[in-house]
Amino acid sequence: MGKIRGIAYRRYVRNKVIQRKKRISRAVYGIDWYQCDGKYSKGKIHCGCGLCKFGKKYGLPTTRDMREMSREEILLKDFES
């Protein structure tokens, strides 16, 4: 069984999440994304517009996809030789 954590610990973790998301929001957008801090603990701080999701909009491969393709190429070269 896992450790039973108290209310103080959960409050600490929640505040840590809020501070991290507020810092990201201010650094990226220059404003507070939400009006009150409590929404940061559950809410998302990203945008879904075409500018932010450029690769997804135009079907470009992600880093994970490129890494997988290079692994497949290496395995094929090893298999052929």
Side-chain angles (χ1 to χ4, degrees), residues 31-73:
I31 57 168
D32 284 339
W33 194 255
Y34 295 110
Q35 294 172 349
C36 62
D37 289 350
K39 290 186 177 182
Y40 280 105
S41 66
K42 294 185 178 188
K44 312 292 188 284
I45 54 170
H46 63 274
C47 179
C49 71
L51 185 62
C52 296
K53 302 285 184 185
F54 185 79
K56 197 169 197 173
K57 182 176 180 181
Y58 294 107
L60 300 175
T62 62
T63 306
R64 181 182 285 175
D65 294 338
M66 290 189 284
R67 213 178 289 134
E68 184 64 30
M69 288 189 308
S70 70
R71 281 191 198 121
E72 289 175 1
E73 289 174 7

Short mmCIF file of all heavy atoms in Angstrom, two decimals, residues 31-73:
data_model
loop_
_atom_site.label_atom_id
_atom_site.label_comp_id
_atom_site.label_asym_id
_atom_site.label_seq_id
_atom_site.Cartn_x
_atom_site.Cartn_y
_atom_site.Cartn_z
N ILE A 31 1.20 37.21 -20.09
CA ILE A 31 0.03 37.54 -19.28
C ILE A 31 -0.34 36.34 -18.41
O ILE A 31 0.17 35.24 -18.62
CB ILE A 31 -1.19 37.89 -20.17
CG1 ILE A 31 -1.52 36.73 -21.11
CG2 ILE A 31 -0.97 39.16 -20.95
CD1 ILE A 31 -2.86 36.85 -21.81
N ASP A 32 -1.23 36.56 -17.48
CA ASP A 32 -1.80 35.44 -16.73
C ASP A 32 -2.91 34.84 -17.57
O ASP A 32 -3.80 35.54 -18.04
CB ASP A 32 -2.36 35.91 -15.39
CG ASP A 32 -1.26 36.18 -14.37
OD1 ASP A 32 -0.17 35.64 -14.55
OD2 ASP A 32 -1.52 36.92 -13.41
N TRP A 33 -2.85 33.53 -17.79
CA TRP A 33 -3.81 32.86 -18.64
C TRP A 33 -5.18 32.81 -17.98
O TRP A 33 -6.20 32.93 -18.64
CB TRP A 33 -3.31 31.45 -18.93
CG TRP A 33 -4.01 30.76 -20.04
CD1 TRP A 33 -4.92 29.76 -19.91
CD2 TRP A 33 -3.86 30.97 -21.44
NE1 TRP A 33 -5.35 29.34 -21.13
CE2 TRP A 33 -4.71 30.07 -22.11
CE3 TRP A 33 -3.09 31.84 -22.20
CZ2 TRP A 33 -4.81 30.02 -23.48
CZ3 TRP A 33 -3.20 31.78 -23.57
CH2 TRP A 33 -4.05 30.88 -24.20
N TYR A 34 -5.22 32.62 -16.66
CA TYR A 34 -6.47 32.56 -15.92
C TYR A 34 -6.55 33.72 -14.95
O TYR A 34 -5.54 34.26 -14.51
CB TYR A 34 -6.58 31.24 -15.14
CG TYR A 34 -6.65 30.03 -16.02
CD1 TYR A 34 -5.60 29.13 -16.10
CD2 TYR A 34 -7.78 29.78 -16.78
CE1 TYR A 34 -5.67 28.02 -16.91
CE2 TYR A 34 -7.86 28.66 -17.60
CZ TYR A 34 -6.80 27.79 -17.65
OH TYR A 34 -6.88 26.70 -18.46
N GLN A 35 -7.79 34.08 -14.55
CA GLN A 35 -7.98 35.20 -13.64
C GLN A 35 -7.66 34.83 -12.20
O GLN A 35 -7.16 35.65 -11.44
CB GLN A 35 -9.41 35.71 -13.75
CG GLN A 35 -9.71 36.32 -15.10
CD GLN A 35 -11.18 36.64 -15.27
OE1 GLN A 35 -12.01 36.23 -14.46
NE2 GLN A 35 -11.51 37.35 -16.32
N CYS A 36 -7.97 33.61 -11.80
CA CYS A 36 -7.67 33.18 -10.43
C CYS A 36 -6.71 32.00 -10.47
O CYS A 36 -6.68 31.23 -11.43
CB CYS A 36 -8.94 32.85 -9.66
SG CYS A 36 -9.86 31.49 -10.35
N ASP A 37 -5.91 31.85 -9.43
CA ASP A 37 -4.85 30.85 -9.41
C ASP A 37 -5.36 29.42 -9.40
O ASP A 37 -4.71 28.52 -9.91
CB ASP A 37 -3.95 31.07 -8.19
CG ASP A 37 -3.09 32.30 -8.33
OD1 ASP A 37 -3.06 32.87 -9.43
OD2 ASP A 37 -2.45 32.67 -7.33
N GLY A 38 -6.52 29.17 -8.81
CA GLY A 38 -7.02 27.81 -8.69
C GLY A 38 -7.26 27.12 -10.01
O GLY A 38 -7.18 25.90 -10.11
N LYS A 39 -7.53 27.87 -11.06
CA LYS A 39 -7.77 27.26 -12.37
C LYS A 39 -6.49 26.71 -12.98
O LYS A 39 -6.55 25.85 -13.85
CB LYS A 39 -8.39 28.29 -13.32
CG LYS A 39 -9.82 28.63 -12.95
CD LYS A 39 -10.42 29.54 -14.00
CE LYS A 39 -11.87 29.82 -13.67
NZ LYS A 39 -12.49 30.67 -14.70
N TYR A 40 -5.34 27.18 -12.55
CA TYR A 40 -4.08 26.67 -13.07
C TYR A 40 -3.85 25.22 -12.67
O TYR A 40 -3.21 24.47 -13.39
CB TYR A 40 -2.90 27.49 -12.57
CG TYR A 40 -2.69 28.79 -13.30
CD1 TYR A 40 -3.04 29.99 -12.73
CD2 TYR A 40 -2.13 28.81 -14.56
CE1 TYR A 40 -2.84 31.18 -13.37
CE2 TYR A 40 -1.92 30.00 -15.23
CZ TYR A 40 -2.28 31.17 -14.63
OH TYR A 40 -2.07 32.35 -15.30
N SER A 41 -4.36 24.81 -11.51
CA SER A 41 -4.08 23.45 -11.05
C SER A 41 -4.78 22.41 -11.90
O SER A 41 -4.32 21.29 -12.00
CB SER A 41 -4.49 23.29 -9.59
OG SER A 41 -5.89 23.40 -9.44
N LYS A 42 -5.90 22.76 -12.53
CA LYS A 42 -6.61 21.81 -13.35
C LYS A 42 -6.56 22.18 -14.83
O LYS A 42 -6.65 21.31 -15.68
CB LYS A 42 -8.08 21.74 -12.92
CG LYS A 42 -8.26 21.17 -11.56
CD LYS A 42 -9.71 21.00 -11.24
CE LYS A 42 -9.83 20.38 -9.87
NZ LYS A 42 -11.19 20.01 -9.56
N GLY A 43 -6.45 23.45 -15.13
CA GLY A 43 -6.54 23.92 -16.50
C GLY A 43 -5.28 23.71 -17.31
O GLY A 43 -4.22 23.42 -16.78
N LYS A 44 -5.44 23.85 -18.60
CA LYS A 44 -4.32 23.75 -19.52
C LYS A 44 -3.86 25.17 -19.86
O LYS A 44 -4.64 26.10 -19.86
CB LYS A 44 -4.74 23.05 -20.81
CG LYS A 44 -5.53 21.77 -20.62
CD LYS A 44 -4.68 20.69 -20.02
CE LYS A 44 -5.37 19.35 -20.00
NZ LYS A 44 -6.38 19.19 -18.99
N ILE A 45 -2.59 25.30 -20.20
CA ILE A 45 -2.07 26.63 -20.52
C ILE A 45 -1.48 26.65 -21.92
O ILE A 45 -0.53 27.34 -22.20
CB ILE A 45 -1.03 27.10 -19.49
CG1 ILE A 45 0.07 26.07 -19.34
CG2 ILE A 45 -1.67 27.39 -18.17
CD1 ILE A 45 1.24 26.56 -18.54
N HIS A 46 -2.04 25.86 -22.81
CA HIS A 46 -1.54 25.82 -24.17
C HIS A 46 -2.60 26.30 -25.14
O HIS A 46 -3.76 26.48 -24.79
CB HIS A 46 -1.09 24.42 -24.54
CG HIS A 46 -2.22 23.43 -24.53
ND1 HIS A 46 -2.60 22.78 -23.38
CD2 HIS A 46 -3.03 23.00 -25.50
CE1 HIS A 46 -3.63 21.99 -23.66
NE2 HIS A 46 -3.90 22.10 -24.94
N CYS A 47 -2.20 26.49 -26.35
CA CYS A 47 -3.08 27.00 -27.38
C CYS A 47 -3.19 25.95 -28.48
O CYS A 47 -2.25 25.20 -28.71
CB CYS A 47 -2.49 28.30 -27.93
SG CYS A 47 -3.44 29.03 -29.24
N GLY A 48 -4.29 25.91 -29.17
CA GLY A 48 -4.46 24.93 -30.23
C GLY A 48 -4.48 25.55 -31.62
O GLY A 48 -4.93 24.91 -32.56
N CYS A 49 -4.02 26.78 -31.75
CA CYS A 49 -4.08 27.44 -33.06
C CYS A 49 -3.03 26.85 -34.01
O CYS A 49 -2.14 26.13 -33.61
CB CYS A 49 -3.87 28.94 -32.90
SG CYS A 49 -2.20 29.43 -32.47
N GLY A 50 -3.16 27.18 -35.28
CA GLY A 50 -2.26 26.64 -36.29
C GLY A 50 -0.82 27.07 -36.12
O GLY A 50 0.11 26.36 -36.50
N LEU A 51 -0.61 28.24 -35.53
CA LEU A 51 0.75 28.71 -35.31
C LEU A 51 1.46 27.89 -34.23
O LEU A 51 2.61 27.53 -34.37
CB LEU A 51 0.72 30.19 -34.91
CG LEU A 51 2.06 30.88 -34.77
CD1 LEU A 51 2.79 30.87 -36.11
CD2 LEU A 51 1.85 32.31 -34.32
N CYS A 52 0.72 27.56 -33.17
CA CYS A 52 1.31 26.78 -32.08
C CYS A 52 1.41 25.30 -32.43
O CYS A 52 2.30 24.61 -31.96
CB CYS A 52 0.49 26.95 -30.81
SG CYS A 52 0.51 28.63 -30.18
N LYS A 53 0.50 24.81 -33.23
CA LYS A 53 0.49 23.40 -33.62
C LYS A 53 0.89 23.27 -35.08
O LYS A 53 0.26 22.57 -35.86
CB LYS A 53 -0.91 22.81 -33.42
CG LYS A 53 -1.44 22.91 -32.03
CD LYS A 53 -0.78 21.91 -31.14
CE LYS A 53 -1.42 21.98 -29.75
NZ LYS A 53 -0.79 21.15 -28.80
N PHE A 54 1.97 23.94 -35.47
CA PHE A 54 2.39 24.01 -36.87
C PHE A 54 2.62 22.63 -37.47
O PHE A 54 2.12 22.32 -38.54
CB PHE A 54 3.66 24.86 -36.97
CG PHE A 54 4.11 25.10 -38.37
CD1 PHE A 54 3.50 26.06 -39.14
CD2 PHE A 54 5.14 24.36 -38.92
CE1 PHE A 54 3.91 26.29 -40.44
CE2 PHE A 54 5.55 24.58 -40.21
CZ PHE A 54 4.94 25.55 -40.97
N GLY A 55 3.38 21.80 -36.78
CA GLY A 55 3.70 20.48 -37.31
C GLY A 55 2.49 19.59 -37.46
O GLY A 55 2.36 18.83 -38.43
N LYS A 56 1.58 19.67 -36.52
CA LYS A 56 0.38 18.85 -36.58
C LYS A 56 -0.53 19.31 -37.71
O LYS A 56 -1.14 18.50 -38.41
CB LYS A 56 -0.35 18.91 -35.25
CG LYS A 56 -1.35 17.83 -35.05
CD LYS A 56 -1.81 17.82 -33.61
CE LYS A 56 -2.48 16.50 -33.30
NZ LYS A 56 -2.80 16.36 -31.92
N LYS A 57 -0.61 20.60 -37.91
CA LYS A 57 -1.47 21.15 -38.94
C LYS A 57 -1.00 20.75 -40.34
O LYS A 57 -1.80 20.43 -41.21
CB LYS A 57 -1.52 22.67 -38.83
CG LYS A 57 -2.43 23.33 -39.83
CD LYS A 57 -2.53 24.81 -39.64
CE LYS A 57 -3.46 25.44 -40.65
NZ LYS A 57 -3.54 26.88 -40.49
N TYR A 58 0.30 20.75 -40.55
CA TYR A 58 0.84 20.45 -41.87
C TYR A 58 1.38 19.02 -41.99
O TYR A 58 2.01 18.67 -42.99
CB TYR A 58 1.94 21.45 -42.22
CG TYR A 58 1.38 22.85 -42.38
CD1 TYR A 58 1.60 23.82 -41.42
CD2 TYR A 58 0.59 23.17 -43.48
CE1 TYR A 58 1.08 25.08 -41.55
CE2 TYR A 58 0.05 24.43 -43.62
CZ TYR A 58 0.30 25.39 -42.66
OH TYR A 58 -0.24 26.63 -42.78
N GLY A 59 1.15 18.20 -41.00
CA GLY A 59 1.52 16.79 -41.08
C GLY A 59 3.01 16.53 -41.03
O GLY A 59 3.49 15.56 -41.62
N LEU A 60 3.78 17.36 -40.34
CA LEU A 60 5.22 17.16 -40.22
C LEU A 60 5.50 16.11 -39.16
O LEU A 60 4.77 16.00 -38.18
CB LEU A 60 5.89 18.48 -39.85
CG LEU A 60 5.70 19.63 -40.84
CD1 LEU A 60 6.32 20.89 -40.29
CD2 LEU A 60 6.31 19.28 -42.18
N PRO A 61 6.57 15.33 -39.32
CA PRO A 61 6.87 14.30 -38.33
C PRO A 61 7.41 14.92 -37.02
O PRO A 61 8.09 15.94 -37.04
CB PRO A 61 7.95 13.46 -39.00
CG PRO A 61 8.58 14.37 -39.99
CD PRO A 61 7.50 15.30 -40.44
N THR A 62 7.08 14.28 -35.93
CA THR A 62 7.58 14.73 -34.64
C THR A 62 8.98 14.17 -34.42
O THR A 62 9.46 13.33 -35.19
CB THR A 62 6.66 14.26 -33.50
OG1 THR A 62 6.65 12.83 -33.50
CG2 THR A 62 5.24 14.79 -33.67
N THR A 63 9.63 14.61 -33.37
CA THR A 63 10.96 14.11 -33.04
C THR A 63 10.90 12.61 -32.77
O THR A 63 11.80 11.86 -33.18
CB THR A 63 11.51 14.84 -31.80
OG1 THR A 63 11.45 16.24 -32.04
CG2 THR A 63 12.93 14.44 -31.50
N ARG A 64 9.86 12.17 -32.12
CA ARG A 64 9.69 10.74 -31.84
C ARG A 64 9.58 9.94 -33.14
O ARG A 64 10.18 8.87 -33.27
CB ARG A 64 8.45 10.52 -30.99
CG ARG A 64 8.21 9.07 -30.61
CD ARG A 64 6.95 8.92 -29.81
NE ARG A 64 7.17 9.38 -28.46
CZ ARG A 64 6.23 9.46 -27.53
NH1 ARG A 64 5.01 9.10 -27.81
NH2 ARG A 64 6.51 9.88 -26.32
N ASP A 65 8.83 10.47 -34.11
CA ASP A 65 8.70 9.79 -35.40
C ASP A 65 10.03 9.71 -36.12
O ASP A 65 10.38 8.67 -36.70
CB ASP A 65 7.68 10.51 -36.28
CG ASP A 65 6.27 10.45 -35.73
OD1 ASP A 65 5.98 9.54 -34.93
OD2 ASP A 65 5.46 11.33 -36.10
N MET A 66 10.78 10.81 -36.12
CA MET A 66 12.09 10.82 -36.80
C MET A 66 13.05 9.85 -36.14
O MET A 66 13.82 9.16 -36.82
CB MET A 66 12.65 12.23 -36.81
CG MET A 66 11.89 13.17 -37.72
SD MET A 66 12.68 14.75 -37.95
CE MET A 66 12.28 15.54 -36.41
N ARG A 67 13.02 9.77 -34.81
CA ARG A 67 13.88 8.85 -34.08
C ARG A 67 13.53 7.40 -34.45
O ARG A 67 14.42 6.57 -34.67
CB ARG A 67 13.69 9.07 -32.57
CG ARG A 67 14.93 8.83 -31.78
CD ARG A 67 14.71 9.11 -30.31
NE ARG A 67 14.57 10.52 -30.02
CZ ARG A 67 13.63 11.05 -29.24
NH1 ARG A 67 12.76 10.28 -28.65
NH2 ARG A 67 13.58 12.33 -29.03
N GLU A 68 12.25 7.10 -34.52
CA GLU A 68 11.80 5.76 -34.88
C GLU A 68 12.21 5.40 -36.30
O GLU A 68 12.64 4.28 -36.57
CB GLU A 68 10.29 5.65 -34.71
CG GLU A 68 9.72 4.28 -34.96
CD GLU A 68 10.20 3.25 -33.98
OE1 GLU A 68 10.48 3.60 -32.82
OE2 GLU A 68 10.33 2.08 -34.38
N MET A 69 12.10 6.35 -37.23
CA MET A 69 12.51 6.09 -38.62
C MET A 69 14.01 5.81 -38.70
O MET A 69 14.45 4.93 -39.45
CB MET A 69 12.14 7.26 -39.51
CG MET A 69 10.65 7.36 -39.76
SD MET A 69 10.12 8.57 -41.00
CE MET A 69 10.90 10.07 -40.47
N SER A 70 14.82 6.55 -37.94
CA SER A 70 16.27 6.31 -37.98
C SER A 70 16.61 4.95 -37.38
O SER A 70 17.50 4.25 -37.88
CB SER A 70 17.02 7.42 -37.25
OG SER A 70 16.81 7.35 -35.86
N ARG A 71 15.88 4.53 -36.35
CA ARG A 71 16.10 3.20 -35.78
C ARG A 71 15.77 2.12 -36.80
O ARG A 71 16.49 1.12 -36.92
CB ARG A 71 15.23 3.00 -34.54
CG ARG A 71 15.75 3.63 -33.31
CD ARG A 71 14.97 3.17 -32.09
NE ARG A 71 15.20 4.07 -30.99
CZ ARG A 71 14.27 4.76 -30.35
NH1 ARG A 71 13.01 4.63 -30.66
NH2 ARG A 71 14.58 5.57 -29.38
N GLU A 72 14.66 2.31 -37.51
CA GLU A 72 14.28 1.33 -38.54
C GLU A 72 15.33 1.25 -39.64
O GLU A 72 15.66 0.16 -40.12
CB GLU A 72 12.93 1.70 -39.13
CG GLU A 72 11.77 1.46 -38.18
CD GLU A 72 10.44 1.94 -38.74
OE1 GLU A 72 10.42 2.43 -39.89
OE2 GLU A 72 9.44 1.82 -38.02
N GLU A 73 15.88 2.39 -40.06
CA GLU A 73 16.92 2.40 -41.09
C GLU A 73 18.16 1.66 -40.62
O GLU A 73 18.76 0.88 -41.38
CB GLU A 73 17.28 3.83 -41.47
CG GLU A 73 16.20 4.54 -42.26
CD GLU A 73 16.53 6.01 -42.49
OE1 GLU A 73 17.65 6.44 -42.16
OE2 GLU A 73 15.65 6.72 -43.01
#
